[in-house]
Each structure stands twice: as C-alpha cells, then as structure tokens.
Amino acid sequence: MSLPLESQTAQAGSVGQAVKKPGQLRRLARMLLKSKTGTIGLLIVIVVVFMAVFASAIAPHDPAKTQAAQRLKPPMWMEGGSPANPLGTDNLGRDVLSRIIYGSQVSLMVGVCAVAVAGAIGVVLGLVSGYFGGIVDNLIMRTVDSFLAIPNILFMLVILTVLGPSLTTLILVLGFTNWVKYARIIRGEVLSVKERDFVRAARTVGASDGRIIFTHILPNVISSFIVVSTLSVATTIIAEASLSFLGLGIQPPTVSWGGMLSDGRQYLATSWWVATFPGVAITITVLGIMFLGDWLRDILDPRMKARAK
Amino acid sequence: MRQYLLKSILQIVPVLFLISIIVFVLVYVTGDPVSLMLSDTATDEDREILIAALGLDQPMHIQYFRFLGNMLQGDFGTSFRYDMPALPIVLERLPATFELAIAAMIVATVISIPLGILSATKRNSFLDIFVSGASVLGKAMPHFWLGIMLILLFAVEWKTLPVSGRGSWDHLILPAFTLGTGIAAEMTRLIRSSMLEILGQDYIRTARSKGLIETIVVYKHALRNSLIPVVTIMALQTSTLIGGTLITETIFSWPGMGQLIIQAVNTRDMAIVQAAVFVVAFLVIVSNILADILYRVLDPRIKYN
C-alpha cells in the first residue's frame, strides 16, 4: 500500500510525514531515548532482527545437525555442560542456542508478513466500511462480529487442518483471522476524518471516492495503522508459537520456537532447558515489540495515550 | 429495557447466520470427508454411492441449506470417531471447560483486584512499577509456556501438584493459574487505570473533604465504581478465555471441550469441529450480550438507545 509522497506532504498535520524528513529523524531518536522502555524495546528488536538476518554467521552450530553422542547435554554452567553448547542440546543432540537463533527467522517472518496480510485486508475493509456506510458498512461490521465470536486460535486451527500446515498457509491464515481489529479501528477513524473540512472541500471540487479515500483519508489514519501493526506483530508471534506448539504451524525441519517447546515438553522431567529457553526467547521478543509499540503509540497518537491512561 | 433486550437478541440472528456460512464453507473447502470414511479397499462404485448418500453431489447452495436445516434442529452430523451425534459429545465436555474457565477467572480476580488497587493508590511507587512490569510480562509470556514451566516447578521439581488430568482440587490449580495469569495481567492494568480515573472525580474529593477515612473512600466509593468497566470488559473476554482453554486443556490433559476440539482437528472429525465452533460462537455471543446488559444494570447512567 504505497502512497505517492506528495499526497502525504499535502496533509498538513499528518504524522506519517514527520518520520520521513532527515531532521525529524534525529528528533525522533531523541524522543525514543527519553523513554526507557522504548529504548529497551528498540534494542531487543534490533538484536532479534540481527539474529535472524545473520543467523548462519553467528550460530555456533548447524541447527539441524544431530549428534547422538551429545543428546540432552545441560547448559554450560551446569555439571556436564560444555561451552560448545552454551544452552545445552536437545533430544537429538542439536544445539539449543543455534536453534533459538534460527528460530527467530520464522517468528519474525511470520509475524511481519501475517500482519501485512491482516493490515491490507483490514485497512481496505475499514476504509470502505467507514467511508461508504449504509449496507456495505453493515455487512462488513456484521462479518467482523461473527469473526469476533469465534476465538482466533480455534479459527486458525480449523483452517490449518483444512489446508494443511505450511509457511505460506500459516501466514495467510494468521492474516485472514486477524484483520478484524484493523477494520474496526480504521473504520472508527474514517468516520471522524471524513467529516473534516478538507474532505468536504475535496468532494466539492469533484474528487472521486477513490481519490478521497486514498489521498485524503488514508494518510490521516496511517498512524493508527502503524501502532496497531506493531502491537499485532507481538500477538502474531505468540499465535504462531501456539500453532507450532500444537503441531499445526511450522513443520520440521524448519526450526520454530513453538516447535522447540513442543519437543522439549516430553523431556521436561530430565532436561528442563530444552523447553525453557525457547519460551524465554519468545517472551523477550514479544516484550521488546510491545515496548516499542507502546512508545510508537505515545508519539504517533497522543490521543490514544490519553485514552489508555 | 425490554425493547433494548429484544433488539440485542434479534441482532444475534444475522451473526449466527454468518457464522453458519463460515462453518459450512470451512468444511466444504475441506472437500473430502468421503475418503476419510471409506476403507482402503473401497471401489469407485462404493465411493459414488456414499457421495450420493451424503448429498455431496448436490450444488453448494443446496448443500448449505440442508446443512442449515439440520443445524437448526441441533444436528451437526455424526462423529465418525465416536459414532454418535456430534452436538451431545461437545455439550458433554462443557462442564469441565466451565470449571476450568471459572477457576481461571477466580484466580485472575484474586490477583488483579488487590494489585490494581494498590498500584493506583500508590501511584509511581516501587510497588506500582513492579506491578506494571509484572503485568506487561504476563501479557508477553505465551501461556502454554507458562503452563509447562508450572508443571516443571510444581509437578516435576517439587512434586506438590499433579501433572495432568481432572479430579480433586489439586488438579485444578495449575491449569487455572496457567489460564488465569494472562487475564490477571490485563485486568490489573484495567483496574489500575479505572481506579485512577475514579480517584480524580469530584465525589471522591467530597468524600475525602468531609473527613472519611481513606480506606472507606478507596474501597467503598472508588472501587465499586471503578469495577463497572472492568466487569464488562472481562465479560467480553469470553472468546479469549475459551481460546485459551484449547491449549491449556491440551497441556494438562484436561477432559474439556478444548481438548476435544484439538483431538477432533487432528483426526479431522469435522462434525465435532463444526458443532464445537458453533457452540463456542454461541457462548461468546450470549456472554457479550450479558456483558452489555450487566453494564447497563451496574451503571444506570447509560441510556438504552
């Protein structure tokens, strides 16, 4: 959903444009450093992205390499552990640290792509619903209600069973079940934006509906979109882990944190580390993204902050 | 009030109708219940007969109306795994799921009300920061991992509580905590912000200035009013709660509807899945309406329109 740049700058007071100018970037960085949790969040996200991108360079071992002799070795600080496997090994002798590093790839990719799919569906339906109103609005909102009545995880389970698990299906399913919150929030924003004078002015000079929606309304709702998207990445990562844990998400040999947890569950009695560390990785990643999202909300949408307080 | 009630009940109809379409399409896309039912030795002729008997050779909309008609009579088809009508199998599992869900809500309430009040009354204190941190952590943690960690500590390491199953009170503790923690995190945050808002109101200042002791101001004047939004928002969490039981029941082998659904999904027992999705959706919709009514009963300022 790329926007012509001039349309963004045309909107005085739009927040989306503030991010683009170089001088503003420094201001943004200063604002970020002022917020402790925001800084921590950004650092965590940078580390996780770095891990995912350079996984092959920083992982000490091949994540899929099995070593029968090295089965279920404890972490290096425990008796019997060795620095070769800092976080120990799993039931097939695979290095837990390397698997966690590789697992970040799946989590981030699924998180970001699924949110893009959900965002695309939700924003379009939200814009249409809020702008046109009437029967279309009613139909879309009743569909939203029906989606809300079925717990997300149940919905995803059923679709994944039908379609069979794969990375692409997983992303599409997560996107298809999570568009609802975008549709609701964007619709609400559109309802208030469309009554503003500049929209009326555009209509008076004869701008088409499509033009009004995409060049006048969309730039004004984009900051809510960014905030919701960031926080959605966090919830999507948890959802992906849950599905992989249930065996319906990422399939071996691709490494995923949820899958690792599920494997480790069977060795809980003897080898606590196999199930523990992937969970720590998920928690820290999600925490980082949530911190970053909260900070983005505070600066991009001060009204939302006021409402949250 | 009566008119309002009638209106909200009437609104269920289109939503349930849409859900019936969603449920139908899901299974229509699955396509091939026939090959699951037939044995490997079945001939093409057997196949044709079964397809005709199930009405699968009819056009999609005809199949849908038949599905809808049966569904309205409570008939979601026969589970091939249990060889019984699907709906009673699902309903039979409900008490166990309710037990778990209610226990989780109790855990969440017991944790969040005192913590929410304390962090609101002692705003920005060390305790407040600690509670905020804990509730963020509670939201960031995947609860299936929390469940596994609780098993690791209480069942494997200290051997104080049973690993899985349903039976005595002991069995309920770990699953209820697993399911309740995330909700407690959300609730604590809500109670805190709701309390802060109420504590800034004029009538609280009046109560204080007429010399009431702080405990009465906080617990009698502020708490009651600040719980109004919390109660309704919590009632709206039914969907999250039932979604949570799916994984929690699987981890702890809790014999409820969540476990049944996961098993049905794994064995592709679509009749059970359809019936369960419908039962869940119905529960969620009804509890949303109850939440709405509750809100209006608790806060008479809200108008019915």
Side-chain angles (χ1 to χ4, degrees), chain A residues 16-29:
Chain A
Q17 60 168 341
V19 192
K20 296 264 151 62
K21 292 181 190 163
Q24 308 261 358
L25 211 64
R26 203 169 304 149
R27 193 175 64 92
L28 208 66

Side-chain angles (χ1 to χ4, degrees), chain A residues 94-231:
Chain A
R94 297 173 297 193
D95 182 46
V96 172
L97 177 65
S98 305
R99 289 177 71 71
I100 286 181
I101 292 174
Y102 272 91
S104 64
Q105 290 179 333
V106 162
S107 285
L108 283 187
M109 186 153 85
V110 171
V112 172
C113 295
V115 163
V117 173
I121 303 175
V123 168
V124 170
L125 290 181
L127 284 170
V128 168
S129 184
Y131 185 78
F132 292 107
I135 299 176
V136 185
D137 180 33
N138 234 315
L139 194 66
I140 294 177
M141 283 302 118
R142 289 294 84 77
T143 314
V144 166
D145 287 346
S146 343
F147 268 75
L148 285 175
I150 306 176
N152 262 354
I153 182 101
L154 176 56
F155 214 150
M156 294 188 284
L157 274 176
V158 176
I159 305 180
L160 281 171
T161 324
V162 172
L163 299 178
S166 82
L167 188 62
T168 323
T169 335
L170 186 64
I171 290 171
L172 291 178
V173 165
L174 281 162
F176 180 68
T177 44
N178 287 299
W179 59 272
V180 175
K181 62 185 155 206
Y182 290 94
R184 288 187 121 191
I185 290 169
I186 299 291
R187 173 180 176 270
E189 298 265 304
V190 173
L191 285 180
S192 78
V193 173
K194 80 170 181 185
E195 298 303 327
R196 303 248 293 267
D197 287 341
F198 63 84
V199 176
R200 289 196 186 154
R203 200 172 294 143
T204 318
V205 298
S208 67
D209 285 337
R211 188 174 169 83
I212 295 177
I213 291 178
F214 285 103
T215 67
H216 296 281
I217 294 181
L218 184 61
N220 281 286
V221 298
I222 214 82
S223 61
S224 312
F225 171 73
I226 295 173
V227 171
V228 181
S229 299
T230 318
L231 295 171

Side-chain angles (χ1 to χ4, degrees), chain B residues 12-140:
Chain B
I12 304 181
V13 178
V15 175
L16 280 182
F17 181 69
L18 275 169
I19 288 172
S20 78
I21 295 181
I22 296 174
V23 171
F24 171 75
V25 170
L26 281 178
V27 178
Y28 187 81
V29 178
T30 348
D32 209 12
V34 179
S35 49
L36 283 170
M37 291 171 167
L38 286 174
S39 67
D40 295 338
T41 53
T43 60
D44 281 352
E45 204 174 324
D46 296 336
R47 203 182 159 79
E48 296 297 317
I49 294 169
L50 186 60
I51 287 179
L54 292 169
L56 295 173
D57 51 350
Q58 306 279 330
M60 184 172 177
H61 62 279
I62 305 270
Q63 284 192 43
Y64 170 71
F65 283 117
R66 182 182 299 167
F67 168 76
L68 189 66
N70 289 340
M71 198 190 79
L72 289 174
Q73 298 164 39
D75 177 9
F76 286 86
T78 308
S79 154
F80 65 77
R81 189 157 159 254
Y82 294 89
D83 204 18
M84 270 166 64
L87 191 63
I89 302 178
V90 174
L91 295 179
E92 195 193 332
R93 297 292 193 107
L94 270 183
T97 297
F98 279 148
E99 183 183 313
L100 175 59
I102 291 169
M105 284 308 280
I106 294 174
V107 168
T109 314
V110 168
I111 296 176
S112 61
I113 290 188
L115 289 185
I117 296 173
L118 278 175
S119 58
T121 49
K122 302 198 174 8
R123 197 180 175 180
N124 293 331
S125 66
F126 174 74
L127 184 89
D128 183 23
I129 295 169
F130 176 77
V131 170
S132 301
S135 59
V136 173
L137 197 66
K139 277 178 77 180

Side-chain angles (χ1 to χ4, degrees), chain B residues 284-297:
Chain B
V284 172
I285 294 170
V286 168
S287 68
N288 286 0
I289 290 177
L290 286 180
D292 211 18
I293 296 170
L294 195 62
Y295 193 32
R296 278 150 215 275
V297 170

